[in-house]
Amino acid sequence: MGGACSLKRDQHDDDNISRRGFSSRHFKFGSSNCLQHFLFQRVIDVCHSGGSSCPSLMELCIHRIRKDLDKYQSFSMLPRDISQLIFNYLVYSNCLSDDCIEAFRDCALHDMWMGEYKGVKDNWMDVVSSQGSSLLSVYIVGSEVTDFGFSLLQNCSNLQALSFDCCDRISEQGIKQVSGFSNLTYLSFRKCVSVTVEAMQALSSLDKLVKLDFERCPQIHGGLVHLQGLSKLESLSIRYCQCITDSDMKPLAGLASLKELQILCIYVTDYGVSCLRGLNKLVVLNMEGSHVTTSCLNTISDLASLQSLNLSRCCLRDDGCEKFSALNNLKVLNLGYNHITDACLGYLEGLTKLEGLNMDSCRITDDGLSHLAGLAKLEELNLKFTLVTDDGLQNLTGLTRLKSLNLDVRQITDSSLAVLTGFTGLTLLDLFGAHITDYGTKYLAYFRNLQSLDLCGGVLTDAGVENIKDLSSLMFLNLSQNRNLTDKTLELLSGLTLLVCLNVSNSCITNDGLQYLKPLKNLRSLDLEYCNVTAFEIKKLQANVLPNLVRYRSNQP
């Protein structure tokens, strides 16, 4: 049917779920909205664009069913592939309701990703649990689900991924029920007050856990001791858990399989980092905002497998930075918001595998950029709020692999764009605070691959937007704070049909200009704050021609 369309699996197939394993895509719930966007984009395009490409039979089926949605009481007789896509589309388009959720009862769906969808409560969980042993993953954020609704999932014996972030109505006793999900490989309870030391005892039996996320859980101090037996645990996030101290680092020393550790706790010091010395498989270490100094590099420099290191917002100074030179396998390094200067960059010259470097708000000057000239594999570079000027960018001309460049720097002008024209592979260019004029925008023609562009400088006019209208790959565009932009700007941008997010706030755009947005069928976020545009007119546009627009801002009713 235009793709792999399986019939409902029989009992034998259901029994093989755990042996088949769990797709790695389910480990990245944080980007599920993006995944759904790309997964269903072709269906959306077929429904709205009337393009010349012939839709598959699968796409036509889904389009027809969703068009007559109110005529269906149950999708349980459909092939699972189709019912799964219909469910995902309804979530994506904010059309799932109490009425139509019942139609998915007993559909044997694999994945029920509802994210921050409003209205998810216990009666919805009854439908979720009806998927039985077919259900592999559940992702819910900020719902009204209680302990009772959570307990219904006990019917889903093959669950491998479970995420109930910001679900305040699930208590400590409710969280203890995770001990019954013996096949879990992914578990997330972000921003949950009920995750306590006592509740975390239930984790000790989940010996298949690979990824665990307790970001912003304020009650977990002392509870990490219950992770000691999780020999398969590869990823642990305790970001922004300010209750965590050095003593909580000690139980982590025995997690020999750990490859990713996200901490970000102000009470973790150099001593706490020293407890990580034996984690020889560690690939990603994020210590952002921790109270560590360059002395922590005495431990970190011994982590031979380390490829990504974030020491942003710590207490680093140039003294001791020579230890960076030992991290030969490092691919990503974030040193933003530290008291480091050009001298630190000198120790990075030998890190030839670096692909990403963040020096946001550091005291880096033009002279320091000369140390980066040999980092030929660099793809992402953040120089936001540094002291670099147009002249310093000459040192970067050899970095031809750059895809992402942040130059939110007041000293950057049109001359910089002229220097950067060799970076034809750029997909992201941030010039938020730079002084770019209409004249400088002519150089944007060299960046045909740009997907994200930020030109929030305040001096652009419609004439400058004329040089942006042919950047057909753009998905994210920020032109806010340019007071001289008019409705003509929206007319010029009407051909950028891939746009997902558009910000033209603080401009002279009016309701009359909204008509030019009609071709932008992929638009999901629109910011027209402090313009002569009313929310009423945006809602009309949303209802009639832009059904995928789920977020908009306007300061007028």
Side-chain angles (χ1 to χ4, degrees):
M1 296 184 65
C5 180
S6 66
L7 298 174
K8 283 185 182 295
R9 292 186 299 179
D10 55 21
Q11 185 61 44
H12 174 74
D13 197 10
D14 282 332
D15 289 341
N16 284 330
I17 290 176
S18 59
R19 289 193 290 273
R20 195 183 68 248
F22 193 55
S23 172
S24 61
R25 68 184 176 91
H26 298 116
F27 284 176
K28 298 183 179 180
F29 282 116
S31 60
S32 64
N33 288 336
C34 294
L35 175 63
Q36 291 177 8
H37 172 77
F38 290 111
L39 188 59
F40 305 111
Q41 194 54 59
R42 179 163 169 74
V43 175
I44 295 168
D45 288 344
V46 167
C47 299
H48 297 294
S49 67
S52 58
S53 60
C54 181
S56 69
L57 185 55
M58 171 79 86
E59 291 166 339
L60 290 173
C61 287
I62 295 170
H63 176 47
R64 181 64 186 180
I65 291 170
R66 73 174 186 82
K67 193 174 183 180
D68 300 325
L69 192 63
D70 58 339
K71 298 180 180 179
Y72 299 93
Q73 293 184 341
S74 175
F75 296 123
S76 61
M77 299 305 294
L78 287 176
R80 178 173 51 215
D81 295 33
I82 293 181
S83 54
Q84 180 76 67
L85 286 174
I86 295 170
F87 176 82
N88 290 342
Y89 180 84
L90 292 178
V91 174
Y92 173 83
S93 57
N94 286 295
C95 295
L96 197 62
S97 65
D98 278 334
D99 293 332
C100 62
I101 186 69
E102 274 295 329
F104 294 97
R105 185 177 293 276
D106 300 321
C107 284
L109 299 182
H110 284 333
D111 310 309
M112 300 196 78
W113 294 3
M114 289 174 275
E116 298 178 12
Y117 204 92
K118 295 180 180 178
V120 181
K121 41 190 179 291
D122 286 348
N123 66 308
W124 287 39
M125 294 305 298
D126 189 42
V127 176
V128 172
S129 67
S130 74
Q131 313 308 316
S133 58
S134 289
L135 193 63
L136 297 180
S137 67
V138 178
Y139 172 45
I140 295 173
V141 178
S143 72
E144 298 177 16
V145 175
T146 68
D147 290 353
F148 171 74
F150 189 69
S151 69
L152 296 176
L153 290 176
Q154 299 292 340
N155 296 329
C156 306
S157 57
N158 287 316
L159 265 179
Q160 297 180 21
L162 191 60
S163 178
F164 274 77
D165 299 340
C166 310
C167 294
D168 297 333
R169 299 196 179 188
I170 298 178
S171 71
E172 178 182 77
Q173 294 302 315
I175 291 176
K176 288 181 179 181
Q177 297 178 74
V178 299
S179 61
F181 302 119
S182 58
N183 288 314
L184 279 184
T185 58
Y186 176 95
L187 178 63
S188 177
F189 275 104
R190 295 184 182 182
K191 206 174 181 180
C192 288
V193 175
S194 300
V195 179
T196 63
V197 176
E198 185 177 350
M200 291 178 70
Q201 292 181 29
L203 302 177
S204 59
S205 62
L206 303 181
D207 55 5
K208 294 182 182 179
L209 268 183
V210 175
K211 185 168 183 176
L212 182 59
D213 194 338
F214 285 149
E215 179 179 320
R216 298 181 189 274
C217 291
Q219 307 277 355
I220 66 172
H221 172 58
L224 298 185
V225 67
H226 300 300
L227 308 183
Q228 289 180 313
L230 304 183
S231 59
K232 295 182 180 180
L233 195 65
E234 295 181 4
S235 176
L236 173 63
S237 176
I238 47 176
R239 300 170 72 223
Y240 305 115
C241 299
Q242 300 305 347
C243 59
I244 295 295
T245 67
D246 286 344
S247 63
D248 292 296
M249 296 295 100
K250 294 179 181 179
L252 304 184
L255 299 178
S257 296
L258 205 61
K259 296 180 180 179
E260 179 180 1
L261 179 58
Q262 307 273 350
I263 300 180
L264 287 77
C265 304
I266 59 174
Y267 298 115
V268 175
T269 70
D270 295 336
Y271 175 75
V273 175
S274 69
C275 299
L276 309 178
R277 190 178 299 276
L279 300 181
N280 296 322
K281 292 184 179 181
L282 204 61
V283 175
V284 177
L285 178 59
N286 187 347
M287 299 290 302
E288 181 178 348
S290 301
H291 197 69
V292 298
T293 69
T294 45
S295 295
C296 74
L297 294 175
N298 293 327
T299 297
I300 294 175
S301 60
D302 290 334
L303 302 177
S305 298
L306 203 62
Q307 296 182 18
S308 178
L309 176 61
N310 187 347
L311 292 174
S312 175
R313 301 179 188 274
C314 295
C315 306
L316 305 189
R317 298 184 181 276
D318 291 336
D319 293 342
C321 282
E322 64 273 7
K323 291 285 186 178
F324 281 119
S325 60
L327 295 171
N328 298 321
N329 291 316
L330 212 57
K331 293 184 177 180
V332 178
L333 179 59
N334 187 344
L335 297 175
Y337 296 92
N338 279 298
H339 306 290
I340 55 179
T341 68
D342 296 341
C344 178
L345 291 186
Y347 300 120
L348 307 184
E349 289 184 346
L351 304 184
T352 55
K353 294 182 180 180
L354 266 187
E355 297 174 3
L357 179 61
N358 187 344
M359 305 299 296
D360 189 346
S361 303
C362 295
R363 289 178 286 177
I364 305 301
T365 70
D366 293 343
D367 292 337
L369 295 188
S370 62
H371 298 298
L372 306 182
L375 304 182
K377 293 186 177 181
L378 208 60
E379 295 182 359
E380 299 182 15
L381 180 59
N382 188 341
L383 296 172
K384 179 180 180 181
F385 296 153
T386 59
L387 303 175
V388 301
T389 69
D390 296 336
D391 294 337
L393 296 184
Q394 294 285 349
N395 293 307
L396 304 181
T397 54
L399 305 181
T400 56
R401 292 193 183 185
L402 274 184
K403 295 180 180 179
S404 174
L405 181 59
N406 189 322
L407 289 173
D408 183 357
V409 182
R410 300 297 178 189
Q411 307 85 260
I412 297 298
T413 70
D414 295 340
S415 298
S416 289
L417 285 180
V419 173
L420 301 176
T421 52
F423 297 158
T424 55
L426 279 180
T427 57
L428 183 150
L429 181 58
D430 190 335
L431 296 163
F432 184 95
H435 191 78
I436 305 298
T437 69
D438 292 343
Y439 176 82
T441 59
K442 69 179 183 179
Y443 297 112
L444 295 175
Y446 290 89
F447 310 128
R448 290 293 182 181
N449 296 312
L450 272 185
Q451 297 176 13
S452 179
L453 176 63
D454 198 319
L455 281 171
C456 179
V459 296
L460 289 187
T461 71
D462 297 335
V465 180
E466 182 78 34
N467 294 317
I468 298 174
K469 67 180 179 64
D470 293 324
L471 299 177
S472 59
S473 295
L474 276 180
M475 299 175 66
F476 305 90
L477 178 60
N478 185 0
L479 297 175
S480 62
Q481 313 302 323
N482 291 294
R483 288 292 305 165
N484 294 319
L485 298 183
T486 70
D487 293 341
K488 179 66 175 178
T489 282
L490 295 189
E491 181 180 4
L492 292 168
L493 299 178
S494 62
L496 301 180
T497 56
L498 294 183
L499 275 182
V500 175
C501 298
L502 175 62
N503 187 342
V504 278
S505 60
N506 287 278
S507 65
C508 295
I509 289 172
T510 70
N511 283 333
D512 293 337
L514 294 181
Q515 61 179 311
Y516 300 116
L517 298 178
K518 292 180 179 179
L520 306 184
K521 303 300 184 184
N522 293 318
L523 203 61
R524 291 184 59 80
S525 176
L526 176 64
D527 196 331
L528 291 166
E529 199 170 16
Y530 301 109
C531 299
N532 295 316
V533 176
T534 62
F536 177 76
E537 291 298 326
I538 298 177
K539 288 180 181 179
K540 282 174 53 179
L541 187 72
Q542 178 191 41
N544 295 326
V545 291
L546 297 180
N548 296 312
L549 183 62
V550 294
R551 178 189 176 277
Y552 59 85
R553 295 182 65 182
S554 173
N555 62 308
Q556 298 187 38

